[in-house]
Amino acid sequence: MILSSELSLGALLQRLVEVAVQLTGARYGAIGVINEDGTGLDDFITTGIGDDERAEIGHLPQGRGILGVLIRDAHSLRLREIGADPRSYGFPAQHPPMHSFLGAPVRSRGRVFGNIYLTEKQGSVEFTEEDEEALNVLATQAGVAIENARLLDDSERRSRSLEAITEINAAILQGEAADDLLRRAVGSARRLVAADAATVVLPVGSLGLRIAVADGAYAADLEGMPVPEERSVSGEVIRTGEPVMLTDARSDSRTDQPMVMTGHMGPAIFVPLPGQGGRIGTLAVSRLAGGRLFEARDLTLLQAFAAQAAIAIEYAWAQRELERLTLLGDRERIARELHDGVIQALFAVGLGLQGTAALLHDDVVETRLQQAIGEIDRVIGDLRNYIFGLRPGVVSGAGLGDALSQLGHEFEERTGITVAMDVDPALEQPLSGVATHVVQMTRESLSNVARHAQAATCRVSLRRSDGRAVLEVDDDGVGFDIDGPAPAGLGLQNLRARAEQLGGRLVVTSPPGEGTTVQVSLPIGARPP
């Protein structure tokens, strides 16, 4: 039989429709796959209608009208004129005209898998009894082929699931980086159920939920987006612990869900990620609008995989925390050595010079000594700033946004310069690996404002622009001549070097008398050097 060579279920269904059209002389054909509860259609495979026509028609049929008759009564049906039947529901505005009709159920595993629908008998006003008999024979044979294809498909799905879980476990044992491990899990979930996009939504401290990782279609737009806890599918799944399966995300009432807001997502599944202390987030997969609906077995497979993905996520968190604690330990040691050694030595040298200056009666020498003492004081101040950066308690206990706000508040209290903060919370997660560097660059820029700008106000902003994160510190001070020698102590070379280490770039603009703007552009997801 021609259908026996088709092993893929999707290819088999498409071939089934094409054979039915050829066998009966129909112009249009379709097979509707009935959903699990037997009330409507999960999928609708067609032939005779082009992709553009199908897009104009809009949403897939839901199994009403004549299509619903075969769902409710699994027997073949032949009509001379569809529109004349009182059970007809009508066609959408862009649907091609159809008159004659022939339909038959396809049974698989002892139940009706779907129905074959044929319309527009070529060369005649209606289908014949012979056409009906031939279609019933084809539907019976197709049921056997579909049974085999589904068994093979289930076996391949289980095999892919085991391979994905084995791959993640191996990556964990090999010590793969936390972010890479999370991306691997999300990508595996998308491929596992043949989805177009997949995301993991996780809580980000007091800032609510964020899409931590996205894979597939529109990943760059989705990743880092905030997700409202009270008005989103993900928030509901985390609260209830129950999965959600959507036939069309665009029509769901929870329209604040970012995956819905892109306007391109259709069928979707959201499952909770179980953690040791409760649900830690959601794993979601989706297909593009108009795509094939997910099945109940997709949900079952994804739930089983989510348990493994949750282990990978918790491992990634533990690994990141261990790296952070190790880094903080090293920084604490270096900071202690700088404070107890270098600063104390410089302070002693400064005191000695002050004592020497008091014994001198040469004004020129005394002036030079006082300048040297002032320079030592400046170096001590800079070292203390660096030590403060090496001990980033302002970052370790809070998110990047909170750390920058705290830094601005402390700067305002210390200097009297008004600070306006404008921080995009969606950048919190993508810049989590370099948060300390961002805070340190902000601190150095604010230090320049305090020492050189003679400003009344300044602004600190962190925003997304052209796919990059942009840190900007500007003031309303006196500015300086960019083309001339920079004022001593600006430390622009240090800022530039730090930005370049993170794969970014530094741009400084400072028209004399019009203030200064220090702008650092970093790649989204930048990693520490």
Side-chain angles (χ1 to χ4, degrees), residues 6-191:
E6 298 290 353
L7 297 180
S8 163
L9 182 58
L12 174 62
L13 296 177
Q14 187 64 54
R15 184 61 179 147
L16 170 60
V17 176
E18 293 169 354
V19 170
V21 166
Q22 295 169 5
L23 188 65
T24 62
R27 181 176 180 183
Y28 303 109
I31 181 168
V33 180
I34 299 176
N35 59 23
E36 288 293 318
D37 58 12
T39 60
L41 299 178
D42 261 352
D43 203 358
F44 201 71
I45 297 95
T46 64
T47 187
I49 297 178
D51 293 338
D52 293 341
E53 286 182 287
R54 182 163 176 167
E56 289 181 359
I57 292 173
H59 197 277
L60 297 178
Q62 298 298 301
R64 299 170 181 155
I66 297 300
L67 302 186
V69 172
L70 269 74
I71 296 175
R72 295 185 296 272
D73 183 11
H75 295 87
S76 59
L77 177 66
R78 182 160 52 94
L79 300 173
R80 178 187 180 95
E81 176 59 56
I82 299 174
D85 192 291
R87 297 167 296 183
S88 176
Y89 194 78
F91 297 105
Q94 303 300 323
H95 201 284
M98 295 180 178
H99 301 280
S100 56
F101 174 86
L102 177 60
V106 177
R107 289 180 170 83
S108 173
R109 300 187 185 183
R111 61 183 289 271
V112 177
F113 170 80
N115 295 298
I116 303 175
Y117 307 110
L118 304 173
T119 62
E120 292 298 280
K121 169 76 172 179
Q122 300 297 287
S124 177
V125 295
E126 63 179 323
F127 292 94
T128 65
E129 290 185 9
E130 290 77 12
D131 293 330
E132 185 173 352
E133 291 176 1
L135 184 61
N136 280 323
V137 171
L138 177 64
T140 300
Q141 295 174 332
V144 176
I146 288 171
E147 169 78 7
N148 293 333
R150 293 192 75 169
L151 289 173
L152 178 63
D153 188 51
D154 286 343
S155 176
E156 290 179 344
R157 283 168 176 259
R158 287 192 293 270
S159 177
R160 290 198 302 271
S161 178
L162 287 174
E163 288 177 1
I165 290 173
T166 301
E167 182 180 318
I168 291 174
N169 286 336
I172 291 175
L173 293 175
Q174 292 170 6
E176 185 169 297
D179 291 341
D180 294 338
L181 187 61
L182 186 53
R183 290 189 182 281
R184 183 189 294 275
V186 175
S188 295
R190 181 181 64 81
R191 292 187 293 273

Side-chain angles (χ1 to χ4, degrees), residues 26 98 111 114 153 178 181 207 245 272 289 308 351 381 395 454 508:
M98 295 180 178
R111 61 183 289 271
D153 188 51
L181 187 61
L207 298 175
M245 185 183 299
Q308 186 65 26
L351 286 177
V395 176
Q454 302 177 37
V508 180

Side-chain angles (χ1 to χ4, degrees), residues 87-341:
R87 297 167 296 183
S88 176
Y89 194 78
F91 297 105
Q94 303 300 323
H95 201 284
M98 295 180 178
H99 301 280
S100 56
F101 174 86
L102 177 60
V106 177
R107 289 180 170 83
S108 173
R109 300 187 185 183
R111 61 183 289 271
V112 177
F113 170 80
N115 295 298
I116 303 175
Y117 307 110
L118 304 173
T119 62
E120 292 298 280
K121 169 76 172 179
Q122 300 297 287
S124 177
V125 295
E126 63 179 323
F127 292 94
T128 65
E129 290 185 9
E130 290 77 12
D131 293 330
E132 185 173 352
E133 291 176 1
L135 184 61
N136 280 323
V137 171
L138 177 64
T140 300
Q141 295 174 332
V144 176
I146 288 171
E147 169 78 7
N148 293 333
R150 293 192 75 169
L151 289 173
L152 178 63
D153 188 51
D154 286 343
S155 176
E156 290 179 344
R157 283 168 176 259
R158 287 192 293 270
S159 177
R160 290 198 302 271
S161 178
L162 287 174
E163 288 177 1
I165 290 173
T166 301
E167 182 180 318
I168 291 174
N169 286 336
I172 291 175
L173 293 175
Q174 292 170 6
E176 185 169 297
D179 291 341
D180 294 338
L181 187 61
L182 186 53
R183 290 189 182 281
R184 183 189 294 275
V186 175
S188 295
R190 181 181 64 81
R191 292 187 293 273
L192 195 60
V193 293
D196 294 309
T199 62
V200 161
V201 170
L202 300 173
V204 185
S206 61
L207 298 175
L209 304 176
R210 291 282 183 277
I211 296 182
V213 176
D215 182 81
Y218 305 100
D221 295 330
L222 291 169
E223 194 162 301
M225 289 184 75
V227 179
E229 294 184 54
E230 300 298 328
R231 304 183 311 279
S232 69
V233 183
S234 290
E236 179 180 313
V237 170
I238 292 174
R239 285 193 304 274
T240 64
E242 297 295 327
V244 171
M245 185 183 299
L246 303 177
T247 58
D248 187 355
R250 297 171 301 172
S251 61
D252 191 87
S253 60
R254 294 153 289 194
T255 54
D256 277 330
Q257 170 64 38
M259 190 175 291
V260 176
M261 291 173 65
T262 62
H264 302 285
M265 297 304 175
I269 299 176
F270 297 76
V271 297
L273 291 167
Q276 292 184 349
R279 294 173 290 277
I280 61 174
T282 61
L283 171 65
V285 295
S286 67
R287 292 180 178 140
L288 296 177
R292 182 169 58 87
L293 301 183
F294 289 106
E295 303 176 47
R297 56 187 181 150
D298 292 320
L299 172 59
T300 301
L301 191 62
L302 199 63
Q303 283 181 296
F305 183 78
Q308 186 65 26
I311 295 175
I313 291 170
E314 291 196 313
Y315 170 79
W317 285 350
Q319 186 185 48
R320 184 180 290 121
E321 182 65 12
L322 180 61
E323 291 173 353
R324 188 184 70 84
L325 291 175
T326 301
L327 180 62
L328 288 178
D330 288 342
R331 288 180 171 180
E332 183 68 25
R333 176 181 56 78
I334 295 170
R336 186 167 54 250
E337 291 176 358
L338 282 173
H339 185 271
D340 296 343

Side-chain angles (χ1 to χ4, degrees), residues 296-517:
R297 56 187 181 150
D298 292 320
L299 172 59
T300 301
L301 191 62
L302 199 63
Q303 283 181 296
F305 183 78
Q308 186 65 26
I311 295 175
I313 291 170
E314 291 196 313
Y315 170 79
W317 285 350
Q319 186 185 48
R320 184 180 290 121
E321 182 65 12
L322 180 61
E323 291 173 353
R324 188 184 70 84
L325 291 175
T326 301
L327 180 62
L328 288 178
D330 288 342
R331 288 180 171 180
E332 183 68 25
R333 176 181 56 78
I334 295 170
R336 186 167 54 250
E337 291 176 358
L338 282 173
H339 185 271
D340 296 343
V342 177
I343 285 185
Q344 297 304 322
L346 286 173
F347 188 69
V349 171
L351 286 177
L353 289 176
Q354 281 183 325
T356 302
L359 298 175
L360 294 175
H361 301 289
D362 188 321
D363 292 341
V364 175
V365 176
E366 184 178 357
T367 299
R368 289 182 179 179
L369 281 177
Q370 291 297 339
Q371 289 175 344
I373 293 168
E375 185 64 17
I376 289 174
D377 288 341
R378 186 191 66 78
V379 171
I380 290 174
D382 286 344
L383 278 173
R384 282 177 172 156
N385 280 334
Y386 295 142
I387 291 171
F388 189 63
L390 288 168
R391 291 173 171 167
V394 69
V395 176
S396 61
L400 177 57
D402 291 340
L404 291 177
S405 296
Q406 180 181 338
L407 181 62
H409 177 70
E410 292 174 352
F411 175 82
E412 190 173 85
E413 285 191 337
R414 186 173 67 254
T415 65
I417 299 173
T418 302
V419 180
M421 303 296 298
D422 181 16
V423 177
D424 182 356
L427 290 171
E428 181 97 16
Q429 179 65 27
L431 295 179
S432 60
V434 294
T436 298
H437 294 274
V438 173
V439 171
Q440 183 63 9
M441 287 188 290
T442 305
R443 180 182 292 113
E444 291 178 4
S445 299
L446 288 175
S447 176
N448 287 336
V449 173
R451 292 163 54 190
H452 304 290
Q454 302 177 37
T457 62
C458 69
R459 180 179 63 92
V460 176
S461 71
L462 182 62
R463 66 183 188 279
R464 186 188 296 257
S465 177
D466 296 329
R468 296 174 69 87
V470 177
L471 171 68
E472 196 169 87
V473 179
D474 57 62
D475 62 69
D476 61 357
V478 297
F480 66 96
D481 184 2
I482 292 292
D483 298 325
L490 268 182
L492 295 181
Q493 288 301 113
N494 291 337
L495 273 173
R496 181 171 285 105
R498 190 187 291 270
E500 290 174 354
Q501 284 179 341
L502 301 177
R505 55 181 179 268
L506 172 72
V507 176
V508 180
T509 56
S510 185
E514 297 182 21
T516 301
T517 298

